Amino acid sequence: IYAASAALNCGVAGATYFGIRGYFIVPILNQVLPSRLHEQERLPKALASSEESSSRAVTWGAMRLHRALDSALSGGITGSVLNTWRRGTRGTFTGMMFGSVFCTIGQLLYNEFHVQRIRFISRRYPAPSSRPPPPTRKKPLFDRLIHAAGLKRLSDEEYLTQMREKRAAYLQRIAELEAQVEADKDLEHP
């Protein structure tokens, strides 16, 4: 009897969630917030050429957030409706919050699983055509702080070159001063 009750509850919750999401939330978000993923889904696949699809490459971050807003809104409405039905008006807000958080976490986990699956497949079967350039490594924090302070980090060769130039300038100045001292001595003792 518990299994039948759990199955009925899950069926009602699932039907409510996916019904609200499919018939209300997704069409409204497609109209109000035409994000990049929603635009790609609206276009028929036959119309999308390879040039257009390559110019609209989807990032990992966009894939991780795919349909998260839809799930949050649908989960909030579903949780609110079902908790209000079960507990009365005092359960409206808690049902909305729990449903929203629960469904968003579920959507994010699903998206992360999808991203990891794509990464696994792309590592296993690399694309033979063109490889993207390797990501540039960020400078270490110390180097960024030095640069922000207006200083420049020098390599050993650059530092040695600067020191040699300074030494040559100082030796030249010493020679000039010694010549001036000798000239002053010659003027005093003719």
Side-chain angles (χ1 to χ4, degrees):
I1 203 137
Y2 287 122
S5 174
L8 180 65
N9 286 338
C10 288
V12 168
T16 306
Y17 170 78
F18 286 109
I20 289 171
R21 182 178 171 180
Y23 290 110
F24 297 107
I25 300 298
V26 171
I28 289 171
L29 286 179
N30 281 342
Q31 297 261 331
V32 175
L33 299 171
S35 68
R36 195 161 83 187
L37 292 176
H38 289 294
E39 285 176 8
Q40 286 179 352
E41 290 169 358
R42 260 190 267 143
L43 291 175
K45 296 205 186 266
L47 295 178
S49 68
S50 62
E51 294 173 3
E52 289 177 5
S53 63
S54 66
S55 68
R56 287 187 277 157
V58 180
T59 63
W60 295 121
M63 289 177 73
R64 283 186 171 99
L65 294 177
H66 181 62
R67 297 285 189 198
L69 180 61
D70 304 9
S71 296
L73 293 173
S74 308
I77 293 170
T78 301
S80 173
V81 167
L82 294 179
N83 212 19
T84 301
W85 175 49
R86 182 157 175 125
R87 293 194 175 94
T89 56
R90 65 186 169 97
T92 303
F93 182 73
T94 57
M96 180 180 65
M97 294 307 295
F98 178 76
S100 189
V101 168
F102 182 76
C103 292
T104 302
I105 289 173
Q107 183 69 49
L108 292 175
L109 288 173
Y110 176 80
N111 292 345
E112 185 62 30
F113 175 75
H114 184 66
V115 166
Q116 294 305 320
R117 182 182 145 266
I118 291 174
R119 283 186 159 182
F120 175 75
I121 291 171
S122 66
R123 276 191 303 249
R124 192 162 210 188
Y125 305 106
S129 58
S130 65
R131 295 228 173 219
T136 57
R137 296 189 71 185
K138 258 185 155 179
K139 287 184 178 179
L141 178 63
F142 183 72
D143 289 344
R144 287 183 280 162
L145 289 174
I146 287 175
H147 181 70
L151 303 174
K152 181 182 174 188
R153 189 175 190 132
L154 298 176
S155 67
D156 292 339
E157 292 82 25
E158 291 173 331
Y159 181 72
L160 190 58
T161 304
Q162 281 187 357
M163 291 297 109
R164 285 183 179 150
E165 289 172 0
K166 284 183 181 180
R167 180 177 173 257
Y170 288 136
L171 288 175
Q172 182 181 359
R173 179 71 178 145
I174 290 171
E176 290 172 3
L177 291 174
E178 286 177 349
Q180 187 179 5
V181 168
E182 287 295 322
D184 288 345
K185 282 184 185 179
D186 289 340
L187 289 175
E188 289 178 9
H189 303 287

